Amino acid sequence: MGAGWFAATALGVALAALCSHLLLLRPPFPSSAVGLEPELLELLRDHRPQALTETERQQYNATGLLVVRGALPAPVVSRLREILDDEPPTASPLFGGALSYVTSHAWTAYRGLRQLTAASITASLAAQCLGDHPTVRLVNSVSYGIGRSQLGADWHTDEISFRPVRRAFPESLAEERGVSVWIPLQPIDSGAAGQGGGLSVVPMNTASPHCYAAANLDAGSGRVSADPSAGVGRRECVRTLRQRGVSVGAMEPGDLLLFGRSVWHRTEPPTEAFPTDVRWSYTERFAPADAVRNPLALRPLTLLAPAVGLLATM
């Protein structure tokens, strides 16, 4: 095999990587310049972040989960759903029947979502959950649109989404922490007439220590794997998650769910009875402010992202 073969192979790998990014990622430029109206912006600015009670912090520390009611102004959340309805992001065909719309780094793609994130209400709640970290940094934000009878995401954790960053000091690497903030953009009542559309979660204090998420790119979620050393099979892990999973329950616009990066969760697929055509949600992921770029998480596909964005604007 000569130099020509190696050159052809390298070119093929580069083209495959480029195509993967075109299919999986949105270009890093605004998809919608529509922002919140002045009166909604004022409502957002005047809405002060809630101070979590000691009981709420203890609940989060024990379970990795906390629902906060009325954390955001309901009119703002409803308007963001309208913006996504009017200019929905395009989902990759690779996602198949799982979801209709998805965009990563959504705060950069939608002005309205950027205004919500910049208000720092959710960041304040995430920082309080982390306890000894008064400030946090945004790792990523994603908007999801799941149509009626689509599956959404199966059981997974958000570990893979936090891998681009790590703690700054080696002695703290064993204490990697992160908080995901899930914001439904319309009312959710999973138990009402079998509507679905919510989340099922497994509290950390009931989760099996032998199941974990394998690193992969399958619809952005970690597949359920198993710990061979413990003799625990994948089917057993799935069975355990189903048995211990609980529904987050009814949520109104303005309510949100805070959960740790290692908390198992899955979509409750919206059924034909779901009140809207698409179940929209917005998820932000926060890490402690001392988190830095993780060089071990850099992949060849990631390095091509700027080039893909440039090509998409030409």
Side-chain angles (χ1 to χ4, degrees):
M1 293 182 291
W5 183 88
F6 286 106
T9 301
L11 179 61
V13 171
L15 288 175
L18 181 61
C19 290
S20 297
H21 261 266
L22 286 171
L23 288 171
L24 289 172
L25 299 180
R26 296 235 358 127
F29 58 83
S31 296
S32 174
V34 176
L36 297 171
E37 289 74 10
E39 60 273 18
L40 292 179
L41 272 178
E42 184 176 356
L43 184 63
L44 187 60
R45 295 192 191 102
D46 292 342
H47 196 90
R48 307 309 304 165
Q50 296 183 22
L52 299 182
T53 65
E54 184 61 30
T55 299
E56 288 174 325
R57 285 193 291 269
Q58 290 176 358
Q59 177 186 332
Y60 179 84
N61 290 334
T63 65
L65 299 163
L66 182 65
V67 174
V68 181
R69 306 290 181 186
L72 300 168
V76 169
V77 174
S78 298
R79 177 63 180 132
L80 292 174
R81 180 181 64 82
E82 293 174 355
I83 292 174
L84 287 168
D85 266 335
D86 291 340
E87 298 187 74
T90 303
S92 162
L94 295 181
F95 290 117
L99 66 168
S100 298
Y101 309 106
V102 61
T103 182
S104 187
H105 299 288
W107 71 277
T108 66
Y110 284 84
R111 185 183 175 198
L113 296 178
R114 181 163 64 252
Q115 289 169 326
L116 174 65
T117 298
S120 296
I121 296 173
T122 50
S124 171
L125 292 170
Q128 292 179 68
C129 286
L130 289 174
D132 55 341
H133 300 281
T135 57
V136 293
R137 64 175 295 182
L138 181 69
V139 178
N140 192 4
S141 69
V142 186
S143 63
Y144 296 101
I146 305 174
R148 293 190 184 107
S149 300
Q150 289 189 304
L151 299 177
D154 203 352
W155 287 109
H156 67 286
T157 73
D158 282 356
E159 287 287 352
I160 193 171
S161 300
F162 284 90
R163 288 186 180 178
V165 298
R166 63 173 177 80
R167 296 292 296 279
F169 306 104
E171 60 267 25
S172 62
L173 288 178
E175 302 174 1
E176 297 286 5
R177 301 183 68 190
V179 179
S180 292
V181 183
W182 184 68
I183 307 169
L185 301 184
Q186 66 281 295
I188 298 290
D189 192 355
S190 301
Q195 291 181 5
L199 287 185
S200 289
V201 295
V202 178
M204 286 177 58
N205 55 351
T206 68
S208 168
H210 301 303
C211 302
Y212 62 93
N216 65 87
L217 295 176
D218 183 18
S221 64
R223 288 176 179 162
V224 177
S225 189
D227 183 357
S229 65
V232 179
R234 181 182 183 277
R235 291 184 179 179
E236 183 177 343
C237 284
V238 174
R239 189 182 310 114
T240 300
L241 292 169
R242 289 174 177 170
Q243 291 172 346
R244 301 180 182 180
V246 295
S247 177
V248 173
M251 299 182 73
E252 294 296 325
D255 297 346
L256 55 80
L257 170 68
L258 299 150
F259 60 96
R261 59 187 284 176
S262 58
V263 167
W264 287 96
H265 58 285
R266 72 167 182 88
T267 305
E268 294 172 349
T271 69
E272 292 298 330
F274 197 73
T276 58
D277 291 335
V278 178
R279 189 276 265 163
W280 287 106
S281 64
Y282 179 53
T283 300
E284 299 170 319
R285 298 184 176 108
F286 294 98
D290 67 350
V292 298
R293 183 187 295 270
N294 182 7
L296 298 178
L298 293 178
R299 302 183 300 271
L301 290 180
T302 306
L303 298 176
L304 283 175
V308 174
L310 179 60
L311 290 172
T313 60
M314 297 175 63

